[in-house]
C-alpha cells in the first residue's frame, strides 16, 4: 500500500508534492513539540516532589505534657489578675469615685468628722435669706457654736472651702452665717470669692463693691442686714491681683477690726483646686469647713485638699456633706409626713416610716 501511495504521489504535480512534504514535516514537528512539553511537565512534578536533604538524627520520644503547665499557667493568671485589678482601680478612681454616702468619707479617712448633712434643694433653691432655715442647717450652726464655745477665743473665724465648684459652698456659707445669727450671735459674712461671688442677691444687697469702698470702711453698719447679721460683698478686683489684696495691710486691718466687733466671721472662698486664695485666708481662720456634695465630689478631693493644706501646715477635721437626696423629709401642713429617712451613727443605715 505504501508503494502504491508513493507512486500516486510521484504522479502528482511537483507543487502538490512539495505541499504534502511540508505538511508531513509540520505534523511531525508538532508531535515532537507536544511530547517535549509533556516531558517538561513530568520533570517539573518529579522535581517538586523530590525529598530534600534531610536526615533523622534522633528518634521521637515522649517526656511528658508540654503545655499547658500548671506553674506557668498559675504565674500568668496572677500577672493578668494583677494587671486587671490595677486597671479596674484606675478606672473606678477616675470615673466612679463620686461620693454617694457619708459613710464612704469616713471609710476613706476616719480622721474626719461630719459636722452636718444638708438635704438637696435642687427642686426649690433658696432665693432669700429666710429660705436657709431648716432643721439640718440649724443643727450645723449649733454644732459650730458648741465647738467655738470650747475655745478661749472671744470670736471665731470660719472659712468655708471646697475642692471644686458646684458643690454648694456659697449657699452653705450663707446658711451658716444666717443660722448663727439666729442664735443671737453677731455674725459677719464676707464674700471673698473674688471671681464669682454673688451672695449679695440673698440679702437684697449689691453683689460687689470697689476696692476703694472696702479699704475706706470705718465701721460695719453699712453692711448690716439685720440686728445680728452683717454682709460684706465681693470686692471687684483684677483676678491677677487677688493674693496681693488678701496679703495687704488694709485687708489684715479689716479682719482685725471685724474680730473685735463680731462673735463669728464666716468667709466664703473660691475652690481651692482652682485658686489659692483659700490657703492665704486660712491663717485668719479658727475653723476650716470643706464642703462635699453627694454624687458630685470625689473621694480623691479629700486627699487633694489635705495635701494642699499640709504644704502650709494647715489641717481640718470637720466637713459638711451637702445635697443629700436620700436624707429627706416630706412635711405637710398637718405636720404628718409620708416618709422620713435618716442615717444612724455609721451614716449608712436608712429607715423609713409610713403614717
Amino acid at each position: 500500500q505504501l508503494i502504491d501511495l508513493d507512486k500516486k504521489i510521484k504522479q502528482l504535480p511537483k507543487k502538490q508534492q512539495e505541499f504534502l512534504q511540508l505538511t508531513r514535516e509540520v505534523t511531525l514537528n508538532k508531535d515532537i513539540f507536544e511530547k517535549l512539553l509533556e516531558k517538561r511537565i513530568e520533570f517539573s512534578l518529579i522535581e517538586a516532589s523530590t525529598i530534600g536533604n534531610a536526615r533523622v538524627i534522633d528518634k521521637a520520644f515522649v517526656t511528658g505534657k508540654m503545655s499547658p503547665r500548671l506553674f506557668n499557667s498559675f504565674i500568668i493568671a496572677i500577672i493578668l489578675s494583677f494587671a486587671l485589678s490595677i486597671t479596674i482601680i484606675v478606672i473606678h478612681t477616675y470615673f466612679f469615685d463620686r461620693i454617694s454616702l457619708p459613710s464612704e468619707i469616713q471609710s476613706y479617712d476616719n480622721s474626719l468628722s461630719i459636722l452636718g448633712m444638708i438635704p438637696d434643694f435642687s427642686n426649690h433653691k433658696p432665693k432669700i435669706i429666710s429660705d436657709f432655715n431648716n432643721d439640718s442647717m440649724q443643727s450645723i450652726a449649733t454644732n459650730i457654736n458648741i465647738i467655738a464655745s470650747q475655745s478661749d477665743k472671744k470670736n471665731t473665724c470660719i472659712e468655708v472651702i471646697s475642692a471644686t465648684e458646684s458643690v454648694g459652698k456659697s449657699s452653705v456659707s450663707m446658711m451658716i452665717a444666717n443660722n448663727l445669727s439666729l442664735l443671737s450671735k453677731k455674725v459677719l459674712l464676707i464674700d471673698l470669692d473674688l471671681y464669682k461671688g454673688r451672695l449679695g442677691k440673698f440679702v437684697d444687697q449689691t453683689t460687689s463693691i470697689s476696692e476703694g469702698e472696702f479699704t475706706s470702711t470705718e465701721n460695719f453698719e453699712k453692711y448690716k442686714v439685720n440686728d445680728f447679721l452683717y454682709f460684706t460683698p465681693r470686692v471687684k478686683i483684677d483676678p491677677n491681683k487677688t493674693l496681693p489684696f488678701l496679703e495687704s495691710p488694709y485687708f489684715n486691718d479689716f479682719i482685725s477690726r471685724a474680730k473685735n466687733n463680731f462673735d463669728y466671721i464666716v468667709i466664703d472662698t473660691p475652690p481651692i483646686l482652682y485658686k489659692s486664695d483659700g490657703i492665704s485666708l486660712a491663717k485668719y481662720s479658727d475653723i476650716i469647713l470643706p464642703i462635699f456634695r453627694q454624687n458630685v465630689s470625689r473621694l480623691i478631693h479629700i486627699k487633694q485638699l489635705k495635701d494642699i493644706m499640709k504644704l502650709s501646715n494647715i489641717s481640718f477635721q470637720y466637713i459638711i456633706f451637702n445635697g443629700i437626696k436620700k436624707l429627706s423629709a416630706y412635711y405637710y401642713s398637718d405636720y404628718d409626713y409620708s416618709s422620713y429617712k435618716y442615717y444612724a451613727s455609721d451614716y449608712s443605715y436608712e429607715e423609713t416610716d409610713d403614717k
Side-chain angles (χ1 to χ4, degrees):
Q1 293 179 354
L2 292 174
I3 295 173
D4 293 338
L5 182 61
D6 188 47
K7 288 180 179 181
K8 289 181 179 181
I9 292 173
K10 288 181 179 181
Q11 294 175 359
L12 292 173
K14 188 175 182 179
K15 292 291 183 182
Q16 288 183 350
Q17 291 182 23
E18 293 177 357
F19 175 76
L20 289 174
Q21 181 67 26
L22 292 173
T23 301
R24 184 171 57 183
E25 291 178 359
V26 168
T27 303
L28 182 61
N29 290 333
K30 182 179 178 182
D31 291 340
I32 294 172
F33 181 72
E34 288 179 351
K35 290 292 183 181
L36 289 174
L37 285 178
E38 289 178 3
K39 292 298 182 179
R40 181 180 180 182
I41 293 173
E42 289 178 4
F43 180 78
S44 298
L45 291 174
I46 293 171
E47 186 180 25
S49 61
T50 302
I51 299 176
N53 185 20
R55 292 183 300 164
V56 177
I57 297 175
D58 292 318
K59 293 183 178 181
F61 58 92
V62 178
T63 59
K65 183 170 64 176
M66 297 297 296
S67 180
R69 292 187 176 182
L70 180 61
F71 180 76
N72 292 344
S73 300
F74 182 71
I75 295 298
I76 293 173
I78 291 178
I79 294 173
L80 291 177
S81 300
F82 185 71
L84 181 61
S85 301
I86 292 178
T87 302
I88 293 174
I89 291 172
V90 170
I91 293 174
H92 183 272
T93 300
Y94 283 95
F95 297 100
F96 302 101
D97 69 332
R98 298 185 189 276
I99 304 171
S100 57
L101 289 174
S103 59
E104 296 175 5
I105 297 175
Q106 292 196 317
S107 297
Y108 184 81
D109 189 339
N110 57 14
S111 67
L112 297 177
S113 299
I114 299 179
L115 194 66
M117 295 180 285
I118 303 174
D120 179 53
F121 292 103
S122 298
N123 296 329
H124 44 280
K125 295 182 179 180
K127 296 181 179 179
I128 58 176
I129 192 169
S130 59
D131 293 339
F132 290 92
N133 300 330
N134 68 22
D135 292 341
S136 61
M137 296 180 178
Q138 292 168 5
S139 65
I140 292 175
T142 301
N143 290 338
I144 292 175
N145 193 42
I146 292 173
I147 295 171
S149 66
Q150 298 172 355
S151 172
D152 296 333
K153 295 182 179 180
K154 294 182 180 180
N155 52 69
T156 302
C157 184
I158 303 166
E159 181 184 7
V160 182
I161 66 172
S162 68
T164 60
E165 58 185 357
S166 302
V167 298
K169 169 184 53 60
S170 297
S171 297
V172 172
S173 300
M174 175 62 73
M175 174 272 295
I176 292 173
N178 181 55
N179 284 274
L180 283 172
S181 69
L182 295 177
L183 299 176
S184 299
K185 301 295 182 179
K186 196 173 181 182
V187 182
L188 173 64
L189 173 63
I190 310 176
D191 189 352
L192 286 178
D193 185 348
L194 302 176
Y195 308 90
K196 294 184 178 180
R198 48 186 179 273
L199 288 176
K201 64 181 181 180
F202 295 114
V203 293
D204 196 25
Q205 290 191 14
T206 180
T207 57
S208 62
I209 58 176
S210 67
E211 186 176 356
E213 290 179 88
F214 180 86
T215 57
S216 62
T217 301
E218 296 182 359
N219 59 66
F220 298 93
E221 288 305 310
K222 66 178 181 179
Y223 300 133
K224 188 173 184 179
V225 177
N226 55 45
D227 290 341
F228 293 99
L229 180 62
Y230 292 72
F231 169 70
T232 302
R234 170 176 60 90
V235 178
K236 290 186 291 186
I237 195 171
D238 185 343
N240 297 319
K241 297 181 179 180
T242 57
L243 282 179
F245 168 74
L246 297 176
E247 296 291 339
S248 64
Y250 50 79
F251 179 81
N252 182 70
D253 178 67
F254 180 89
I255 295 296
S256 299
R257 287 187 289 112
K259 287 187 175 183
N260 292 329
N261 285 273
F262 295 94
D263 298 312
Y264 289 97
I265 300 172
V266 180
I267 301 176
D268 181 34
T269 62
I272 293 290
L273 296 185
Y274 301 157
K275 302 294 180 179
S276 59
D277 298 15
I279 300 173
S280 177
L281 291 166
K283 61 177 175 287
Y284 299 109
S285 307
D286 303 302
I287 300 175
I288 297 176
L289 283 179
I291 309 301
F292 297 96
R293 189 177 185 88
Q294 186 183 49
N295 295 326
V296 175
S297 300
R298 299 177 182 273
L299 289 172
I300 193 64
H301 290 162
I302 299 175
K303 182 179 184 303
Q304 289 173 338
L305 280 180
K306 280 199 163 186
D307 290 344
I308 291 175
M309 291 294 189
K310 189 176 181 180
L311 293 175
S312 301
N313 199 27
I314 302 167
S315 62
F316 56 86
Q317 62 182 107
Y318 302 106
I319 66 168
I320 293 177
F321 196 50
N322 188 29
I324 304 180
K325 293 183 180 180
K326 289 187 177 182
L327 184 64
S328 59
Y330 303 91
Y331 291 94
Y332 296 87
S333 58
D334 58 359
Y335 297 98
D336 288 335
Y337 55 88
S338 62
S339 67
Y340 186 82
K341 302 177 182 179
Y342 62 92
Y343 293 90
S345 58
D346 66 348
Y347 299 102
S348 60
Y349 174 78
E350 183 181 284
E351 179 174 307
T352 304
D353 293 332
D354 294 323
K355 294 186 179 180

